[in-house]
Amino acid sequence: MKMIVCVPARGGSKRVPRKNIRQLNGIPLLCYTLEAIKAANLNTPLYVSTEDDQIAKVALRTPIARVIKRPLELATDDASTESVLLHVLDNLPHEMEFPEWVMVLPPSSPLRKAETIHRFVMRIKDPDFNADCLMSVTENRGDFWLIQEDGNMKRLFPDAPRRQQDRKPLYEENSAIYVTRTSALRETGSILGKRVQSELISPMEGFDINTEQDWAIAEFLASKHNAL
């Protein structure tokens, strides 16, 4: 199976400035993901996509990592993950065979484990796996409501049991891990392709840092659970 791993890490985070190389309990955020990949022993090329020289320097401290510099227009708030992935695929070293799969591991989910990353690889290696994308999800048994135009609340699932443990779970896309067929990515322009399957991971592994409040929670979780 031909696969590459891509870690998209731009330098222009707005809500958490310099997020990808900010120190989370004394370690650059990006390094949590790179070390998890290293520990997973995937034996597959690892590329960090960035426009930022400092991020590139931090990435190259991990011996297995290579950097693909992206143009500034692919490092804006509006640039899609798909556009970044296509840029990586179009700029792979000439000596490398074109991959069938790309695994995407954003640095903003620092608590995912090496064994979880490895589990995703084994899943797509299964001959019975027949989808364009395998994505990570977390389970949610919340009771969801909608605000109507008159201001009153309406339950999204009126017939759902009131007790949380009796409800059927919903599954939330958490963006911690994606494995996508490169052919489907090119055909559809979507990391999801046309056929999507999921792999359940823990809420801690799926935790995604987007705000300063998220950062504070991640610091607590990382220190408590020795994530790195």
Side-chain angles (χ1 to χ4, degrees):
M1 184 187 67
K2 299 181 180 68
M3 185 182 80
I4 65 168
V5 178
C6 179
V7 179
R10 72 186 183 102
S13 175
K14 297 293 191 298
R15 288 181 290 178
V16 185
R18 306 299 292 161
K19 174 174 70 175
N20 287 318
I21 54 174
R22 181 171 166 179
Q23 302 274 318
L24 183 72
N25 288 343
I27 299 167
L29 181 68
L30 173 62
C31 293
Y32 283 82
T33 293
L34 297 183
E35 289 300 317
I37 297 167
K38 181 180 175 183
N41 292 316
L42 301 182
N43 193 29
T44 191
L46 163 61
Y47 296 96
V48 176
S49 168
T50 187
E51 87 295 357
D52 188 279
D53 289 339
Q54 285 184 291
I55 292 176
K57 185 176 180 179
V58 170
L60 291 173
R61 294 177 191 168
T62 301
I64 63 172
R66 301 175 73 171
V67 170
I68 292 182
K69 294 295 289 290
R70 70 171 86 163
L72 293 178
E73 59 265 28
L74 294 182
T76 65
D77 292 342
D78 298 326
S80 66
T81 298
E82 286 86 353
S83 65
V84 171
L85 296 178
L86 290 171
H87 176 263
V88 168
L89 292 172
D90 289 340
N91 288 273
L92 294 174
H94 294 301
E95 69 273 12
M96 183 181 171
E97 292 186 56
F98 196 79
E100 180 183 359
W101 297 91
V102 55
M103 172 180 275
V104 187
L105 300 171
S108 53
S109 297
L111 303 178
R112 70 172 89 69
K113 299 177 181 178
E115 51 264 38
T116 301
I117 295 172
H118 189 266
R119 190 172 81 237
F120 272 68
V121 174
M122 298 310 295
R123 174 85 181 272
I124 63 170
K125 280 185 174 182
D126 188 326
D128 293 329
F129 183 78
N130 185 27
D132 296 327
C133 176
L134 179 64
M135 70 176 184
S136 59
V137 297
T138 43
E139 184 179 292
N140 193 318
R141 292 178 183 266
D143 198 359
F144 296 96
W145 294 70
L146 298 172
I147 301 177
Q148 301 181 97
E149 290 185 4
D150 61 4
N152 290 317
M153 301 293 291
K154 180 182 180 181
R155 204 169 178 222
L156 184 60
F157 301 109
D159 298 328
R162 295 293 298 165
R163 293 199 319 161
Q164 184 185 66
Q165 60 267 39
D166 294 333
R167 297 181 206 134
K168 288 185 178 180
L170 298 175
Y171 295 95
E172 180 182 0
E173 177 184 352
N174 54 47
S175 78
I177 307 175
Y178 297 92
V179 190
T180 302
R181 289 185 194 272
T182 55
S183 57
L185 173 63
R186 287 199 181 279
E187 179 186 353
T188 66
S190 169
I191 198 172
L192 303 176
K194 295 179 180 178
R195 300 166 298 169
V196 184
Q197 293 187 22
S198 66
E199 184 77 14
L200 185 66
I201 67 174
S202 71
M204 188 178 77
E205 289 192 84
F207 189 79
D208 186 26
I209 300 175
N210 289 298
T211 66
E212 289 290 348
Q213 184 179 31
D214 293 339
W215 188 274
I217 294 170
E219 281 194 321
F220 170 77
L221 292 173
S223 62
K224 187 174 179 64
H225 294 279
N226 297 314
L228 188 64

